[in-house]
Amino acid sequence: MENKIEFIAKHGKWFTVKKLKIDENVEDIEIARLLASIDETVLNKIPEYLPFDIEKLNIIADEIFPKKKGRIKEEDIIEALKKLKSPATTRKLNEITTSKEGKEILKILLNSIILERLGIQTRISPKVIEKYIEKERENGH
């Protein structure tokens, strides 16, 4: 069996294929780029399949830290994280679900939304890996 990575998803109108045949010419960083791409695809799709009102979650996120352009100050980060971890925010999640496990899922999604808005990335973007590969090749590596 050949070495390869294949990710195929089809559900309703959603269809995606991500493949890479791995031979001696494929660098590990190219595998990382594909895996990051699969990760990004999956993470973007998960909320669509959860039984929660994601629009309400976005409203809660707006109350914690609205989308902003420009530089984010340290105070903004501190204040947003305080709000994110507050009992008031947990109570607001009760409007979406009363399930303990459901609230845990929503908190994780909310954490991701807020951190991204604060400019704190927790995932590696395939685009960043692509830029890295290009720069390394330009520099002869």
Side-chain angles (χ1 to χ4, degrees), residues 22-74:
I22 303 168
D23 61 23
E24 65 279 349
N25 299 317
V26 174
E27 298 175 34
D28 286 349
I29 192 76
E30 293 176 54
I31 296 169
R33 178 181 51 190
L34 179 70
L35 293 174
S37 177
I38 293 168
D39 181 55
E40 182 179 74
T41 298
V42 170
L43 283 175
N44 289 337
K45 271 301 183 192
I46 289 172
E48 291 181 29
Y49 288 94
L50 292 172
F52 307 119
D53 186 338
I54 300 301
E55 199 50 48
K56 281 186 183 177
L57 189 65
N58 283 314
I59 291 168
I60 294 169
D62 288 341
E63 293 169 3
I64 294 170
F65 189 79
K67 291 178 186 174
K68 290 185 180 180
K69 293 208 186 293
R71 190 176 177 283
I72 296 163
K73 296 180 283 204
E74 198 172 297

Side-chain angles (χ1 to χ4, degrees), residues 101-116:
E101 295 77 12
K103 278 187 281 211
E104 191 173 326
I105 292 167
L106 290 170
K107 280 182 183 181
I108 292 166
L109 290 173
L110 188 57
N111 288 342
S112 294
I113 292 167
I114 297 302
L115 289 174
E116 186 176 310

Side-chain angles (χ1 to χ4, degrees), residues 6 11 18 21 35 62 65-66 102 107 118 125 129 135:
E6 292 184 343
H11 183 249
K18 297 179 186 276
K21 286 185 182 179
L35 293 174
D62 288 341
F65 189 79
K107 280 182 183 181
L118 292 170
S125 160
I129 294 176
K135 294 284 184 195

